[in-house]
Every structure is written in structure tokens, then in C-alpha cells.
Amino acid sequence: MTIRRTRHAPGRVDAPTAEPVEPPALVGRRRIAELTGSWRTALRIARRESRRARRRTALVLAMIALPVAALAFLAASYDMAALTPQERVDRRLGVADAELRWIADNPVGQDERGEGWFTRDDTYLPPAKATAAQLTALLGPGSRVTEVRTYITLTLRGPHRDEEVTGRALDLDDPLARALVRFRAGRAPQQPGEVAVSPAALRRLDLHLGRAVAVADGSRAYTVVGVVEFPDDLGPLVALHPGAAPPTGPETDSVWLADIPGAVDAALVSRLNDRGVVVTPRPPTQPDRSWLGSINLGDTNDLSTGVLIAGLGLLEVVLLVGPAFAVGVRRRRRDLALVAVAGGDAAQLRRVVLADGVVLGVLGAAAGLLVGVLAAFAGRPLVEQYVFGARFGGYRCWPAALVLLGGVAVLAGVLAALAPAWSAARQDVSAGLTGRRTAPVSQARWLALGLGLVTGGAGLAAFGAARTSPAVILTGLILGELGLVCCTPTLIGALARLGRVLPLAPRIALRDASRNRAAAAPAICAVMAAVASSVALGAYLASDGERDARAYQAALPVGHVRVDPIESTRQPTLTQVAAAAREQLGTGAVAPLHTLGCGPASTGYCEVTPVLPVEQACPWQPRDGLPESDRRQARADPRCRIRETDYFGGYVQTGVDDGTALPLLTGADPATTAAAAGVLRAGGVVVTDPRYLHGGLVTVRVNEVEAGPDRPAGVRDLPGYALPRAVGPPRLLLSGTAARELGLSWSPAGWVIGTTSAPDEDHRKRFAAALRSFGTVSLSVEYGGAPRDVSPLLLLLAAAAGVITVGAAGIATALAAAEGRAEMTTLAAVGAAPALRRLLAICQAGVIAGLGSVLGIVAGLGTAAIVLFSVNRQYADDWPFADPYPILVPWPALGVLVLVPVVAMLGAGLFTRARLPIERQMD
């Protein structure tokens, strides 16, 4: 090749050639093009790798898609259940133009939708019974109305026991009312002796068309002529003919559907409001909701709490998926090293690994969203019937929530691949090409960062507990768990050094966990996070349940029953109640109860209360805004030992008794009962709080509430007796002589029955049925403690943590077995027993599940202790005294969590083949 040079004149100097300067925009474009090409190549490699490692791909997809499917199912179901304004109006009005409620007999005001109302003056006059003619006259010519009563209590005879159902009285032959229901079979009731029932009532009462159903008291029977469904309530309902409804006065649940020829304008609403009628008009057709669906950002606290809970779930998914990416990077060390040899820098190596997270996250999100939405649509009838108890609106799936879920799923995949990507970018290229292992290095800065996060998270959780902020508590919990995640690799390395004194199988298991910290640490942290959350929440629930049990105040001795009549016109006698108690409850200990009232000449309500002596009365009254100095003095004053539960529910119950009901109400022993009965027969009073007794007297105050303000309250000292020990709230029992002396009267209020054990539901229903012919009664049974039982919830939390523990241990064990196949071949070559492989799998599962459970239990108990201690410190200076939260250990949950590692180890041993692999190496 010949190179020609340009000849110049002698003495002439060439000017330097200027280098071309590219504009900054071109540099930016080149950078974007480089990134685009690099990511395109990385995504193509990730797609090829997902096809090659199909088992690992299926595992990652399942772990990402399952929570996405569950959340998509909940989002779609919730969005379908949340009715649009137009759907709510259609369900409430049917084909009517407006809904009318005659609320008062004086003018009222209302909001635009008729959901809220108020009287225009300070008085409220209840209306008389409204008629269709009155409302039609108010609406004008051409109008038509029909009445709908939405809540009527019915007790019907079932196949095994009496059943309480809700009745609705409406004329289903009227098109206005017929639009509120969906007919499944039969026809509408056309006379008072006919009813239509819902499918749930049909099943519960074991009915069919043409069969009669009787009222529990036998007063009348109805013939079932139709099966109808009310979309707003899928429970047991009975549609009555309007003539079969009990003739009562106007109720708030009695509404009128109106068909109006003209428009429901402001003038018509104002005219009806002047007569005390509230109007709910049909609004103009509104557009469907936006793609945001039912999202509501009004409560920032609930929103932040929900976001943090979702963050905990995201962290759990990342920790579960992380080992799969770590093992994938180790198996692709040679491919990544070849990329580095070919000129790939650290950023390009990271993109190759992160592309795996992007591809698998997108696939998992798509699969989870598709399965979740289809399951919500397919399972809609079951969710409507057994979860919400009402029909949904249209088919919709809340696009905003689904987009957010998809983004979170992709983010989970990227975060799970983040740590393996950084380790892949820092690997030794020569070691990757030759397949040599590199010793893991525990950097001190990660340990320091972890300890700092744990300390800061604990302090933040304590601060949030003191400020009663769930969002701050959850933030501290997340920071603490992230700190433990940072500390776990160092802890694994420290435990591996202790393996020298262990037998062969556990020593190899600890060594593998230390070598493969990138895979073992996330699995251990996943177990730790699940167990810690379960233990912390379980400890709080156990503490809260114990606190409620300590603050519980029994109304009667354990097992005793109070019977209150519901109807004032028909009441059973003492003899009838005692006979029913002997036959159905197996006891004859029955006593009547009497309530106090004002004298015959009074029309007001009388408050009868005992008065504390001056030396026993607390100088301060519990109220809001009490100065700190007064609260401090009140806490130190022995007269002011007032508990918070006494402040909110501590009133003195009064009654008239001759000593018969006293032992059944208070549980007093025979000697105390005899002494108290003697005082009552002598015309005195009995109190259950000894502080009211002074010099053998009790001061009683009578205040007529509705009397004129100038009438002073009556105060009198009466002979008294204080029970040394009594069950139930504070009581004041007056003798008949004392009541007459105070100018009071008394009337029957019910009965109290003494039993040795609390009757079950069947005995209670049979007792009520035995008295139904004499009158309707209600029963109150004392069980001796708060009815709340948190044991099932604790076990459910422990079971959820157990499933995550077994899953994480199984995944990590399977990945470790696939990674260590070459070592198993070496062991087989040197003559190791076949059972060694199974024993090694058991030990590997034990390392993951055992270490994660121990760390989780310690972290959970520590979190619960910090939160409860901070809450107790917050209420330590309050007055009235607040019961502190006891720091308890949720033993049922811990018992399950201790057994879970054993189950994981047994499962690993059961599903692992004992035969050692033997491979032939060809030269």
C-alpha cells in the first residue's frame, strides 16, 4: 500500500488539526444506546438461562407468583364488593325515584343524599304512624308509594331448635318493592299467612315450597310460597306480607319507596323536610370510578401502616427467593468469568444477574395476577355467600392495585438478585474460569452496620410504642430485621468454627452453610423474620388477653344466669321460672329482682346512690385535662386508688331485696348472707363496698333527674351492712322499709338463677323456649372471664411461621444438595455409607430452620418486651390507674415453633434419597 504525503512549501508549518468535539447530547445518546444494548443482551441471556434451569425457574416463579396471586385475589374481590354510588342507589331504591323516611313530627334538615338529618329546633317530636295516603298527598297527584320494613325479629321453629331470623315486610307484587329482590322460585306472598324465604333460611329451617313454618310461641304459622334473594343480605331472611307485620309505631327502619311523575327537586325536598320527612333522591347517572378503583388516601396512618406491612411481606419474599439466585450465580461462575474476559466490566456483570430478577419477576407477576384475578372471578359466588354476605357489583379488578402488585413483584425479583449480582461483579475471574472456590470474607463493616440497625430499630420501636404509633413500631421492626440480616453471615462464620468438634454430617452442614453464605444467610433470615413477627405479635396478644382478663369484672358469680323480661305486658311468674330452671338447667335456686323507681306522685327518674364519707372520698374527680400536679397527688393518695376500668364502668347498681337474691347476686357465704339478711329485715341497706359504711350507717342520696332544678336531693343515713367479700360490680340493696322511707317505689326487673356451671347454648335455648308461652325473655350468663381467647390466633400465627420455616429449610436444603453433588460423589468414592447423604440433608435443614427459629424467637421476644415496656412507661403516670401490660411468653406459639425445625429435619430426611451419586469421569 502506498501512502502519499502532501508537499508543502519550504518554511511552511502545518496547523494542528482540531479534534472533532461531539455535542453533549450525542454523548448522552451514546450512553443511553450503550445501556439499552447492554440491558437487551442481559435480558436475552436471562431468558435463555431461565429455559436452561427450568427447576430453579419454576421455584422462583412459584415463590413470587403465589403471594401476588393471593393479593390479586383480595384486591379484585374487594373492588367488586365496594359498590359504586350508582350501584348503591340501585340496590337501595330499585326502580323507585326516591326513598322517604318519616323521622319526626317537626321540621328537619338533611344532607344532599339524605344520609344525615337533624331537627331545625332543639326539640324532637316523634311522628305518628304514617300512611300511604298521607305521603301521596304530600308528593302530589300521580305519585305512588309502598312501605318497606327492613328489620323485624322473628323466632321460628327449626328442625332441631328455635331459630332467630330477620323479617322484612314488603309487598312483592308491587313493582317498586319487587325490584329489591331476586326471585329464585315460587311467587310473591299475597296474603298475611304466606311468606317468601331466602335460600339461607330455606336451608337453616329445612323448608321447601308449600311447607308451613310456625312461630316459636305457636301463635301463628306461615306457608312458604316463594324463594327470594335480597342482594344486600344473603343471610336467613323472611319476606312477610305487609299485613303480617306486627302493628307497631313508626320505626327508623321503616321506609317508603316513591314513584314520582316529576323530578325530585329542591322545592319538593324542602316541602317534605318541613313535615319531618327525610328524602333520599336518585342522583343523576355518574360515570364509573376511575382506574384507581376504591383507593382512599384519607387516613395517612392506616396507609403508612399498610405500606410497612407490605414492606415486611416484600422482605420475606426477597429473603426466600435470594438463595435460588445465589445458587444460580455459583453455577454460572464460568459463564460470568467469560463475560469478564471478553471485556465486560463490573456493571455489565451486575446487569446480567439483575436481568434474571427482572425476567423472573415479570413472569411471576404476570402469572400471579392472571391466576388471582381468574380465581376472584370464579370464586365470586362463594366469597359473596360466606365472606361478605352480600352480592357484589360489576366484574372489575382494580387496575391500580394490580399494576402496583406487578411492580412490587418485579421489585422483589430485582432485590433478591441484588446481593448475588454484587458478589458476581467482585468474583475472581481466574477462580471462576478454573472452578475453584474462593474463601468467603466477612467484612466488619456489615457487622457494625447490622448492630447499628438493630440498636436503632429497637429504639425506634420503643419510641413508637410510647407514642402509640403502629407505623413507627413497624419501621423499627423492619430496621431491626434488616440489621439481623446484615449480622447473619458473620454469625454463620462463627458457628462454622465450632463445627470442628462435631461429627462428620453436622460438620459438613456447617461448613457448607459458611461457604455458601450467599444462599444460606437469606434462608436463615427468612425463617428468622417469620418467626420473629409471629412471636412478637403472639406475645403482645397474650399480654393484652391477660390484661383484659385481670381487668374483667364479673356481673354475677360464675355460672349464674340473669333472666330479663323483654315484653312489659307478658311476664312469667317466679313459680314458672323456677319450674323451667329445674327442668332445663337442673337447679331450683331462683330469686326475683326488683328495680327502684320514684314514688307514685313523681313522673321523673330517680338516681339512688350511696355517698362516701368525707374521710373516704377522693378530693379529685377523674376528668380530662387534669393538671400533672393533681394527678401526681391523686396517685399518692390512698383514697384515690381508682382504676381506669372503674372510672369508665364503675357505677353502683341498686335494687330492693329481702336477702333472697343477695347470695345469688354476690356469692356471699351462708354466715354473711344471714347477717346481711338480718339488717335488711330490720329496715336497713347492704353495700358491697366497705368504704360506704361509717359508724354502722350508710348515707343514701336520692336525686330526681327530671324534677325542677330548685328541688333538692334527698339524703338520709340508714342502718347498713357491708359485705366483706362480694362478686360483681358495686351494689346497694335496700330493704322495702328503707325504700319507703326514702319515698321510692319498686317493680319486678327479672330473676337470677344460681347454677354450679354455666349452661351451654342448647340448655339456654331450651330454657327460653320453656318460658316463651309465658313471655319472651333474654338471658345473661356469667362465664367468669373475658370471652376473648387468643390461643387459636396464636396457633394460627405459629402455623404460618412454621410453613415459611419448613419452606425455607426445604428450599435451602434442595439447593445445597444440588450444589454439593460433586462432594457427594467424592464421599461415595472414598467409601462413605449411603445413609450419610440423608443425614447430611437432615443436618442442613436443621442448620437453616434451627438457627433461624432461635434468632426469630429471641428477636420476637425482645421486640415484644421493648414495646410492652414502653407502653407501660407511657401509662405509668396516668390517673386513674391503668393496668400494665404483663410481659408474657406465648407458650402455645413457642411450642409449635420449637417443633417446626424437627418437622423440617424429618421432612428433609424423608424426601432425600440415601443412595450416593456415582459419576464416571472420562479422560
Side-chain angles (χ1 to χ4, degrees):
M1 180 176 64
T2 304
I3 301 177
R4 300 180 178 272
R5 299 181 181 271
T6 305
R7 298 180 180 273
H8 299 286
R12 182 179 175 182
V13 180
D14 293 338
T17 304
E19 296 290 337
V21 179
E22 297 181 356
L26 187 58
V27 176
R29 292 175 183 175
R30 284 184 176 180
R31 180 60 179 167
I32 293 174
E34 179 184 353
L35 287 175
T36 303
S38 177
W39 272 108
R40 185 184 300 113
T41 304
L43 292 174
R44 189 164 60 247
I45 295 174
R47 184 181 60 183
R48 182 198 64 185
E49 184 63 23
S50 65
R51 294 178 178 176
R52 292 173 58 183
R54 296 187 178 182
R55 293 183 178 179
R56 182 173 60 86
T57 300
L59 177 64
V60 174
L61 288 180
M63 287 188 289
I64 293 178
L66 284 179
V68 172
L71 293 176
F73 176 85
L74 295 177
S77 299
Y78 174 78
D79 196 40
M80 290 187 291
L83 302 179
T84 63
Q86 189 64 38
E87 289 171 344
R88 286 197 299 269
V89 169
D90 292 340
R91 182 165 294 184
R92 183 174 179 179
L93 301 183
V95 296
D97 296 323
E99 178 189 88
L100 310 178
R101 288 178 293 157
W102 203 312
I103 297 296
D105 203 23
N106 51 327
V108 298
Q110 68 168 77
D111 57 14
E112 182 180 1
R113 297 181 179 179
E115 297 177 354
W117 62 273
F118 56 91
T119 57
R120 296 179 186 176
D121 47 20
D122 295 335
T123 61
Y124 170 75
L125 301 177
K129 178 64 177 178
T131 63
Q134 291 175 328
L135 289 170
T136 304
L138 290 176
L139 294 174
S143 301
R144 189 170 57 86
V145 296
T146 183
E147 185 181 13
V148 177
R149 293 186 58 184
T150 57
Y151 186 80
I152 301 173
T153 302
L154 294 175
T155 304
L156 304 178
R157 290 180 180 174
H160 305 291
R161 61 174 64 92
D162 296 340
E163 301 286 350
E164 291 187 359
V165 298
T166 301
R168 295 187 179 183
L170 67 169
D171 186 5
L172 293 179
D173 280 332
D174 192 319
L176 292 177
R178 191 182 183 91
L180 301 179
V181 303
R182 300 173 183 174
F183 268 89
R184 299 301 185 190
R187 58 176 176 83
Q190 297 177 352
Q191 55 186 353
E194 296 178 345
V195 295
V197 298
S198 66
L202 201 72
R203 292 189 299 267
R204 176 174 294 187
L205 297 173
D206 192 18
L207 298 174
H208 54 78
L209 291 179
R211 186 172 179 178
V213 57
V215 181
D217 58 5
S219 59
R220 65 183 309 173
Y222 301 99
T223 302
V224 179
V225 297
V227 179
V228 297
E229 177 184 281
F230 292 87
D232 62 329
D233 190 350
L234 300 180
L237 293 176
V238 176
L240 300 170
H241 188 271
T248 58
E251 302 287 345
T252 56
D253 58 352
S254 180
V255 300
W256 296 81
L257 299 180
D259 180 16
I260 304 172
V264 183
D265 52 12
L268 177 60
V269 174
S270 178
R271 186 169 72 250
L272 292 173
N273 288 164
D274 292 340
R275 297 297 301 272
V277 180
V278 176
V279 184
T280 301
R282 180 181 294 276
T285 303
Q286 299 178 356
D288 293 337
R289 71 182 74 184
S290 65
W291 71 284
L292 291 174
S294 306
I295 190 169
N296 182 15
L297 303 180
D299 194 340
T300 56
N301 291 329
D302 292 344
L303 179 63
S304 59
T305 302
V307 170
L308 291 172
I309 293 176
L312 281 174
L314 176 64
L315 176 62
E316 191 68 30
V317 173
V318 169
L319 294 175
L320 286 173
V321 177
F325 284 105
V327 171
V329 168
R330 287 192 58 82
R331 302 192 73 172
R332 296 167 57 193
R333 291 179 62 203
R334 180 176 175 81
D335 295 341
L336 295 174
L338 290 175
V339 172
V341 170
D345 55 8
Q348 291 172 336
L349 290 176
R350 286 193 295 269
R351 293 186 197 120
V352 170
V353 181
L354 289 176
D356 290 345
V358 174
V359 170
L360 296 181
V362 170
L363 293 177
L369 293 177
L370 181 62
V371 171
V373 173
L374 292 179
F377 288 169
R380 170 175 170 167
L382 297 177
V383 177
E384 289 174 338
Q385 181 70 43
Y386 298 105
V387 178
F388 288 87
R391 293 298 177 195
F392 291 170
Y395 281 90
R396 42 185 179 262
C397 56
W398 201 352
L402 299 186
V403 171
L404 180 61
L405 287 176
V408 171
V410 176
L411 179 62
V414 173
L415 292 178
L418 189 60
W422 281 99
S423 64
R426 296 196 307 267
Q427 74 169 348
D428 187 358
V429 176
S430 60
L433 292 174
T434 58
R436 293 184 289 106
R437 290 182 180 269
T438 55
V441 179
S442 298
Q443 299 182 0
R445 64 172 179 266
W446 289 109
L447 179 60
L449 176 62
L451 294 177
L453 288 175
V454 170
T455 305
L460 190 60
F463 176 78
R467 295 295 183 270
T468 319
S469 174
V472 178
I473 294 175
L474 287 174
T475 304
L477 181 61
I478 293 175
L479 291 179
E481 290 187 359
L482 289 176
L484 291 176
V485 169
C486 296
C487 297
T488 301
T490 304
L491 180 61
I492 295 175
L495 291 177
R497 297 186 183 94
L498 302 178
R500 303 172 183 175
V501 298
L502 298 177
L504 178 62
R507 185 166 68 249
I508 295 177
L510 284 174
R511 186 206 61 182
D512 288 347
S514 178
R515 286 181 175 179
N516 303 323
R517 297 180 192 180
I524 294 173
C525 292
V527 175
M528 176 202 66
V531 173
S533 301
S534 174
V535 171
L537 187 56
Y540 175 77
L541 291 175
S543 176
D544 188 55
E546 179 65 21
R547 181 174 181 261
D548 290 343
R550 293 179 181 179
Y552 179 79
Q553 189 176 44
L556 295 170
V558 177
H560 289 203
V561 181
R562 173 162 178 159
V563 183
D564 295 303
I566 296 178
E567 303 177 36
S568 59
T569 57
R570 291 197 315 148
Q571 294 186 13
T573 63
L574 177 61
T575 304
Q576 293 167 346
V577 174
R582 281 192 301 268
E583 294 175 1
Q584 306 300 335
L585 303 180
T587 180
V590 181
L593 300 177
H594 297 86
T595 183
L596 288 168
C598 297
S602 176
T603 59
Y605 170 74
C606 289
E607 288 184 348
V608 183
T609 57
V611 180
L612 281 173
V614 178
E615 62 274 10
Q616 294 288 345
C618 179
W620 297 274
Q621 293 296 325
R623 59 181 175 85
D624 296 332
L626 194 66
E628 176 64 28
S629 58
D630 292 347
R631 289 205 306 268
R632 189 180 304 110
Q633 296 179 29
R635 289 182 59 86
D637 195 326
R639 299 171 297 175
C640 301
R641 305 296 296 178
I642 304 176
R643 297 172 62 191
E644 187 179 29
T645 53
D646 297 335
Y647 166 49
F648 289 109
Y651 63 94
V652 179
Q653 297 186 3
T654 59
V656 176
D657 185 35
D658 58 358
T660 306
L662 187 144
L664 300 180
L665 289 173
T666 63
D669 55 78
T672 304
T673 301
V679 174
L680 292 173
R681 285 193 298 268
V685 300
V686 174
V687 291
T688 57
D689 189 347
R691 295 181 303 162
Y692 291 107
L693 188 65
H694 56 95
L697 299 175
V698 174
T699 303
V700 180
R701 177 189 292 119
V702 179
N703 182 27
E704 189 172 352
V705 176
E706 296 183 5
D710 296 333
R711 180 175 176 179
V715 179
R716 183 163 299 185
D717 292 336
L718 298 173
Y721 180 83
L723 299 179
R725 290 181 301 274
V727 178
R731 298 183 188 274
L732 170 64
L733 298 178
L734 284 74
S735 62
T737 304
R740 284 189 292 268
E741 188 175 348
L742 293 171
L744 301 173
S745 62
W746 61 92
S747 59
W751 304 267
V752 60
I753 303 175
T755 60
T756 55
S757 60
D760 56 17
E761 182 180 1
D762 184 60
H763 285 83
R764 295 198 305 271
K765 288 188 175 182
R766 286 192 295 178
F767 175 78
L771 294 177
R772 189 165 290 120
S773 58
F774 310 110
T776 307
V777 298
S778 66
L779 305 181
S780 301
V781 182
E782 179 56 56
Y783 293 98
R788 176 184 175 190
D789 184 11
V790 298
S791 297
L793 185 57
L794 294 179
L795 294 179
L796 181 62
L797 292 172
V803 170
I804 295 177
T805 301
V806 173
I811 293 170
T813 303
L815 294 174
E819 180 71 11
R821 183 176 178 85
E823 296 182 355
M824 292 293 101
T825 303
T826 304
L827 289 175
V830 299
L836 179 62
R837 182 177 186 181
R838 179 169 294 171
L839 184 60
L840 180 59
I842 293 175
C843 294
Q844 288 172 337
V847 169
I848 301 298
L851 184 57
S853 297
V854 171
L855 291 177
I857 290 173
V858 173
L861 292 178
T863 301
I866 292 173
V867 171
L868 294 176
F869 178 77
S870 301
V871 173
N872 291 337
R873 287 284 302 171
Q874 177 188 2
Y875 298 117
D877 297 330
D878 283 358
W879 182 82
F881 296 94
D883 293 330
Y885 286 88
I887 299 179
L888 300 177
V889 177
W891 292 113
L894 290 188
V896 174
L897 294 176
V898 168
L899 292 177
V900 165
V902 178
V903 174
M905 295 168 66
L906 293 178
L910 180 63
F911 291 101
T912 301
R913 292 184 299 176
R915 184 174 60 86
L916 292 173
I918 299 177
E919 297 180 0
R920 179 177 298 177
Q921 184 175 357
M922 302 298 294
D923 294 334

